[in-house]
mmCIF file of all heavy atoms in Angstrom:
data_model
loop_
_atom_site.group_PDB
_atom_site.id
_atom_site.type_symbol
_atom_site.label_atom_id
_atom_site.label_comp_id
_atom_site.label_asym_id
_atom_site.label_seq_id
_atom_site.Cartn_x
_atom_site.Cartn_y
_atom_site.Cartn_z
ATOM 1 N N ILE A 1 -68.736 -106.457 -97.527
ATOM 2 C CA ILE A 1 -67.418 -105.918 -97.929
ATOM 3 C C ILE A 1 -66.593 -105.624 -96.668
ATOM 4 O O ILE A 1 -65.391 -106.091 -96.630
ATOM 5 C CB ILE A 1 -67.536 -104.411 -98.576
ATOM 6 C CG1 ILE A 1 -68.351 -104.647 -99.879
ATOM 7 C CG2 ILE A 1 -66.205 -103.963 -98.886
ATOM 8 C CD1 ILE A 1 -67.691 -105.398 -100.931
ATOM 9 N N PHE A 2 -67.113 -104.991 -95.608
ATOM 10 C CA PHE A 2 -66.412 -104.842 -94.350
ATOM 11 C C PHE A 2 -65.916 -106.091 -93.755
ATOM 12 O O PHE A 2 -64.722 -106.250 -93.376
ATOM 13 C CB PHE A 2 -67.140 -104.015 -93.446
ATOM 14 C CG PHE A 2 -66.453 -103.827 -92.104
ATOM 15 C CD1 PHE A 2 -65.404 -102.853 -92.018
ATOM 16 C CD2 PHE A 2 -66.762 -104.469 -90.945
ATOM 17 C CE1 PHE A 2 -64.673 -102.707 -90.795
ATOM 18 C CE2 PHE A 2 -66.184 -104.403 -89.758
ATOM 19 C CZ PHE A 2 -65.057 -103.349 -89.686
ATOM 20 N N ASN A 3 -66.711 -107.077 -93.583
ATOM 21 C CA ASN A 3 -66.302 -108.313 -92.968
ATOM 22 C C ASN A 3 -65.197 -108.987 -93.681
ATOM 23 O O ASN A 3 -64.327 -109.631 -93.051
ATOM 24 C CB ASN A 3 -67.538 -109.356 -92.842
ATOM 25 C CG ASN A 3 -68.621 -108.702 -91.724
ATOM 26 O OD1 ASN A 3 -68.264 -108.045 -90.948
ATOM 27 N ND2 ASN A 3 -69.852 -109.178 -91.870
ATOM 28 N N ALA A 4 -65.337 -109.049 -95.072
ATOM 29 C CA ALA A 4 -64.191 -109.599 -95.839
ATOM 30 C C ALA A 4 -62.771 -108.952 -95.583
ATOM 31 O O ALA A 4 -61.829 -109.591 -95.465
ATOM 32 C CB ALA A 4 -64.594 -109.591 -97.326
ATOM 33 N N LEU A 5 -62.906 -107.580 -95.518
ATOM 34 C CA LEU A 5 -61.660 -106.829 -95.277
ATOM 35 C C LEU A 5 -61.216 -107.107 -93.935
ATOM 36 O O LEU A 5 -59.979 -107.277 -93.714
ATOM 37 C CB LEU A 5 -61.903 -105.419 -95.558
ATOM 38 C CG LEU A 5 -62.281 -105.011 -96.964
ATOM 39 C CD1 LEU A 5 -62.508 -103.478 -97.044
ATOM 40 C CD2 LEU A 5 -61.257 -105.487 -97.968
ATOM 41 N N LYS A 6 -62.058 -107.146 -93.009
ATOM 42 C CA LYS A 6 -61.680 -107.353 -91.541
ATOM 43 C C LYS A 6 -61.078 -108.758 -91.402
ATOM 44 O O LYS A 6 -60.022 -108.886 -90.713
ATOM 45 C CB LYS A 6 -62.877 -107.247 -90.649
ATOM 46 C CG LYS A 6 -62.500 -107.395 -89.156
ATOM 47 C CD LYS A 6 -63.821 -107.158 -88.326
ATOM 48 C CE LYS A 6 -63.411 -107.303 -86.804
ATOM 49 N NZ LYS A 6 -64.694 -107.050 -85.961
ATOM 50 N N ALA A 7 -61.627 -109.756 -92.074
ATOM 51 C CA ALA A 7 -61.127 -111.110 -91.966
ATOM 52 C C ALA A 7 -59.702 -111.240 -92.584
ATOM 53 O O ALA A 7 -58.868 -112.131 -92.100
ATOM 54 C CB ALA A 7 -62.090 -112.063 -92.678
ATOM 55 N N ALA A 8 -59.432 -110.396 -93.510
ATOM 56 C CA ALA A 8 -58.096 -110.406 -94.189
ATOM 57 C C ALA A 8 -57.154 -109.418 -93.432
ATOM 58 O O ALA A 8 -56.085 -109.193 -93.948
ATOM 59 C CB ALA A 8 -58.317 -109.933 -95.583
ATOM 60 N N ASN A 9 -57.563 -108.888 -92.291
ATOM 61 C CA ASN A 9 -56.639 -107.943 -91.523
ATOM 62 C C ASN A 9 -56.334 -106.723 -92.297
ATOM 63 O O ASN A 9 -55.258 -106.153 -92.016
ATOM 64 C CB ASN A 9 -55.361 -108.702 -91.015
ATOM 65 C CG ASN A 9 -55.730 -109.861 -89.989
ATOM 66 O OD1 ASN A 9 -56.523 -109.715 -89.175
ATOM 67 N ND2 ASN A 9 -55.099 -110.929 -90.367
ATOM 68 N N LEU A 10 -57.271 -106.207 -93.088
ATOM 69 C CA LEU A 10 -57.012 -104.998 -93.835
ATOM 70 C C LEU A 10 -57.597 -103.823 -93.179
ATOM 71 O O LEU A 10 -57.445 -102.650 -93.619
ATOM 72 C CB LEU A 10 -57.497 -105.241 -95.324
ATOM 73 C CG LEU A 10 -56.573 -106.063 -96.169
ATOM 74 C CD1 LEU A 10 -57.399 -106.440 -97.382
ATOM 75 C CD2 LEU A 10 -55.331 -105.291 -96.475
ATOM 76 N N THR A 11 -58.425 -104.051 -92.155
ATOM 77 C CA THR A 11 -58.926 -102.945 -91.359
ATOM 78 C C THR A 11 -58.291 -102.654 -90.095
ATOM 79 O O THR A 11 -57.461 -103.597 -89.699
ATOM 80 C CB THR A 11 -60.509 -103.153 -91.052
ATOM 81 O OG1 THR A 11 -60.639 -104.337 -90.290
ATOM 82 C CG2 THR A 11 -61.260 -103.283 -92.348
ATOM 83 N N THR A 12 -58.414 -101.622 -89.451
ATOM 84 C CA THR A 12 -57.829 -101.331 -88.120
ATOM 85 C C THR A 12 -59.025 -101.142 -87.076
ATOM 86 O O THR A 12 -60.189 -101.140 -87.402
ATOM 87 C CB THR A 12 -57.033 -100.098 -88.232
ATOM 88 O OG1 THR A 12 -57.871 -98.996 -88.367
ATOM 89 C CG2 THR A 12 -55.985 -100.202 -89.367
ATOM 90 N N GLU A 13 -58.515 -100.964 -85.812
ATOM 91 C CA GLU A 13 -59.464 -100.811 -84.721
ATOM 92 C C GLU A 13 -60.343 -99.562 -84.899
ATOM 93 O O GLU A 13 -61.448 -99.344 -84.492
ATOM 94 C CB GLU A 13 -58.742 -100.785 -83.397
ATOM 95 C CG GLU A 13 -58.226 -102.122 -82.951
ATOM 96 C CD GLU A 13 -57.631 -102.066 -81.536
ATOM 97 O OE1 GLU A 13 -57.614 -100.955 -80.965
ATOM 98 O OE2 GLU A 13 -57.098 -103.089 -81.070
ATOM 99 N N SER A 14 -59.713 -98.549 -85.616
ATOM 100 C CA SER A 14 -60.387 -97.282 -85.807
ATOM 101 C C SER A 14 -61.254 -97.231 -87.134
ATOM 102 O O SER A 14 -61.799 -96.235 -87.462
ATOM 103 C CB SER A 14 -59.320 -96.188 -85.770
ATOM 104 O OG SER A 14 -58.529 -96.295 -86.849
ATOM 105 N N SER A 15 -61.276 -98.338 -87.834
ATOM 106 C CA SER A 15 -61.962 -98.381 -89.101
ATOM 107 C C SER A 15 -63.545 -98.186 -88.912
ATOM 108 O O SER A 15 -63.945 -98.907 -87.990
ATOM 109 C CB SER A 15 -61.765 -99.584 -89.859
ATOM 110 O OG SER A 15 -60.432 -99.632 -90.314
ATOM 111 N N ALA A 16 -64.111 -97.263 -89.510
ATOM 112 C CA ALA A 16 -65.603 -97.035 -89.415
ATOM 113 C C ALA A 16 -66.262 -97.335 -90.712
ATOM 114 O O ALA A 16 -65.695 -96.966 -91.839
ATOM 115 C CB ALA A 16 -65.871 -95.627 -88.905
ATOM 116 N N VAL A 17 -67.476 -97.719 -90.649
ATOM 117 C CA VAL A 17 -68.185 -98.103 -91.895
ATOM 118 C C VAL A 17 -69.395 -97.148 -92.093
ATOM 119 O O VAL A 17 -70.127 -96.884 -91.124
ATOM 120 C CB VAL A 17 -68.818 -99.551 -91.789
ATOM 121 C CG1 VAL A 17 -69.629 -99.948 -93.074
ATOM 122 C CG2 VAL A 17 -67.669 -100.588 -91.444
ATOM 123 N N ASN A 18 -69.583 -96.612 -93.215
ATOM 124 C CA ASN A 18 -70.671 -95.768 -93.648
ATOM 125 C C ASN A 18 -71.313 -96.549 -94.940
ATOM 126 O O ASN A 18 -70.721 -96.796 -95.898
ATOM 127 C CB ASN A 18 -70.190 -94.395 -94.126
ATOM 128 C CG ASN A 18 -69.856 -93.485 -92.992
ATOM 129 O OD1 ASN A 18 -70.602 -93.586 -91.982
ATOM 130 N ND2 ASN A 18 -68.949 -92.588 -93.193
ATOM 131 N N SER A 19 -72.672 -96.907 -94.648
ATOM 132 C CA SER A 19 -73.338 -97.609 -95.696
ATOM 133 C C SER A 19 -74.272 -96.590 -96.357
ATOM 134 O O SER A 19 -74.793 -95.617 -95.883
ATOM 135 C CB SER A 19 -74.292 -98.570 -94.959
ATOM 136 O OG SER A 19 -75.083 -99.245 -95.891
ATOM 137 N N PHE A 20 -74.335 -96.779 -97.789
ATOM 138 C CA PHE A 20 -75.051 -95.916 -98.616
ATOM 139 C C PHE A 20 -75.988 -96.773 -99.538
ATOM 140 O O PHE A 20 -75.549 -97.805 -100.031
ATOM 141 C CB PHE A 20 -74.209 -95.027 -99.467
ATOM 142 C CG PHE A 20 -73.175 -94.074 -98.781
ATOM 143 C CD1 PHE A 20 -71.899 -94.478 -98.655
ATOM 144 C CD2 PHE A 20 -73.622 -93.056 -97.990
ATOM 145 C CE1 PHE A 20 -70.866 -93.808 -97.922
ATOM 146 C CE2 PHE A 20 -72.740 -92.236 -97.290
ATOM 147 C CZ PHE A 20 -71.404 -92.614 -97.257
ATOM 148 N N ALA A 21 -77.216 -96.230 -99.725
ATOM 149 C CA ALA A 21 -78.175 -96.913 -100.521
ATOM 150 C C ALA A 21 -79.261 -95.921 -101.059
ATOM 151 O O ALA A 21 -79.906 -95.252 -100.275
ATOM 152 C CB ALA A 21 -78.862 -98.083 -99.768
ATOM 153 N N THR A 22 -79.192 -95.847 -102.326
ATOM 154 C CA THR A 22 -80.324 -94.928 -102.955
ATOM 155 C C THR A 22 -80.971 -95.919 -104.010
ATOM 156 O O THR A 22 -80.518 -96.967 -104.274
ATOM 157 C CB THR A 22 -79.595 -93.713 -103.571
ATOM 158 O OG1 THR A 22 -79.059 -94.121 -104.921
ATOM 159 C CG2 THR A 22 -78.556 -93.073 -102.756
ATOM 160 N N PRO A 23 -82.026 -95.378 -104.618
ATOM 161 C CA PRO A 23 -82.693 -96.149 -105.708
ATOM 162 C C PRO A 23 -81.715 -96.779 -106.815
ATOM 163 O O PRO A 23 -82.073 -97.806 -107.297
ATOM 164 C CB PRO A 23 -83.642 -95.196 -106.308
ATOM 165 C CG PRO A 23 -84.093 -94.263 -105.122
ATOM 166 C CD PRO A 23 -82.646 -94.090 -104.378
ATOM 167 N N ARG A 24 -80.628 -95.918 -107.006
ATOM 168 C CA ARG A 24 -79.763 -96.368 -108.117
ATOM 169 C C ARG A 24 -78.310 -96.789 -107.742
ATOM 170 O O ARG A 24 -77.444 -96.772 -108.604
ATOM 171 C CB ARG A 24 -79.731 -95.291 -109.188
ATOM 172 C CG ARG A 24 -81.062 -95.049 -109.855
ATOM 173 C CD ARG A 24 -80.927 -94.350 -111.157
ATOM 174 N NE ARG A 24 -80.324 -92.939 -111.030
ATOM 175 C CZ ARG A 24 -79.775 -92.180 -111.975
ATOM 176 N NH1 ARG A 24 -79.683 -92.820 -113.233
ATOM 177 N NH2 ARG A 24 -79.291 -91.061 -111.719
ATOM 178 N N ARG A 25 -78.157 -97.025 -106.404
ATOM 179 C CA ARG A 25 -76.727 -97.307 -105.985
ATOM 180 C C ARG A 25 -76.760 -98.023 -104.678
ATOM 181 O O ARG A 25 -77.478 -97.727 -103.702
ATOM 182 C CB ARG A 25 -75.894 -96.077 -106.017
ATOM 183 C CG ARG A 25 -76.097 -95.027 -104.892
ATOM 184 C CD ARG A 25 -75.524 -93.757 -105.193
ATOM 185 N NE ARG A 25 -76.390 -93.007 -106.150
ATOM 186 C CZ ARG A 25 -75.979 -92.470 -107.294
ATOM 187 N NH1 ARG A 25 -74.707 -92.395 -107.596
ATOM 188 N NH2 ARG A 25 -76.744 -91.831 -108.057
ATOM 189 N N LEU A 26 -75.703 -98.858 -104.564
ATOM 190 C CA LEU A 26 -75.278 -99.506 -103.318
ATOM 191 C C LEU A 26 -73.756 -99.151 -103.137
ATOM 192 O O LEU A 26 -72.980 -99.313 -104.025
ATOM 193 C CB LEU A 26 -75.420 -100.962 -103.279
ATOM 194 C CG LEU A 26 -76.923 -101.555 -103.503
ATOM 195 C CD1 LEU A 26 -76.806 -103.096 -103.628
ATOM 196 C CD2 LEU A 26 -77.747 -101.162 -102.346
ATOM 197 N N ALA A 27 -73.496 -98.577 -101.960
ATOM 198 C CA ALA A 27 -72.107 -98.129 -101.720
ATOM 199 C C ALA A 27 -71.652 -98.311 -100.251
ATOM 200 O O ALA A 27 -72.587 -98.397 -99.413
ATOM 201 C CB ALA A 27 -71.900 -96.768 -102.190
ATOM 202 N N VAL A 28 -70.448 -98.426 -100.067
ATOM 203 C CA VAL A 28 -69.894 -98.488 -98.664
ATOM 204 C C VAL A 28 -68.520 -97.756 -98.601
ATOM 205 O O VAL A 28 -67.744 -97.745 -99.582
ATOM 206 C CB VAL A 28 -69.675 -99.959 -98.256
ATOM 207 C CG1 VAL A 28 -68.676 -100.661 -99.154
ATOM 208 C CG2 VAL A 28 -69.177 -99.993 -96.792
ATOM 209 N N GLN A 29 -68.318 -96.963 -97.622
ATOM 210 C CA GLN A 29 -67.143 -96.245 -97.350
ATOM 211 C C GLN A 29 -66.524 -96.662 -96.027
ATOM 212 O O GLN A 29 -67.268 -96.668 -94.977
ATOM 213 C CB GLN A 29 -67.366 -94.768 -97.290
ATOM 214 C CG GLN A 29 -66.167 -93.819 -97.184
ATOM 215 C CD GLN A 29 -66.603 -92.386 -96.994
ATOM 216 O OE1 GLN A 29 -67.075 -92.042 -95.911
ATOM 217 N NE2 GLN A 29 -66.327 -91.633 -98.013
ATOM 218 N N ILE A 30 -65.345 -97.154 -96.044
ATOM 219 C CA ILE A 30 -64.671 -97.645 -94.848
ATOM 220 C C ILE A 30 -63.340 -96.876 -94.611
ATOM 221 O O ILE A 30 -62.558 -96.753 -95.523
ATOM 222 C CB ILE A 30 -64.325 -99.168 -94.959
ATOM 223 C CG1 ILE A 30 -65.576 -99.948 -95.372
ATOM 224 C CG2 ILE A 30 -63.761 -99.692 -93.766
ATOM 225 C CD1 ILE A 30 -65.281 -101.393 -95.759
ATOM 226 N N SER A 31 -63.267 -96.287 -93.459
ATOM 227 C CA SER A 31 -62.082 -95.410 -93.041
ATOM 228 C C SER A 31 -60.925 -96.421 -92.733
ATOM 229 O O SER A 31 -61.142 -97.541 -92.179
ATOM 230 C CB SER A 31 -62.435 -94.575 -92.014
ATOM 231 O OG SER A 31 -62.715 -95.200 -90.786
#
C-alpha cells in the first residue's frame, strides 16, 4: 500500500508507516 501511494506522489517526506497484523486482520496506517 505504501509503495503504491509513494509512487503516485501521495506521500510526503514525513509520512510514516505503521503495520498491523493480528489473527483476523491486516492493516496499515500511513501519516
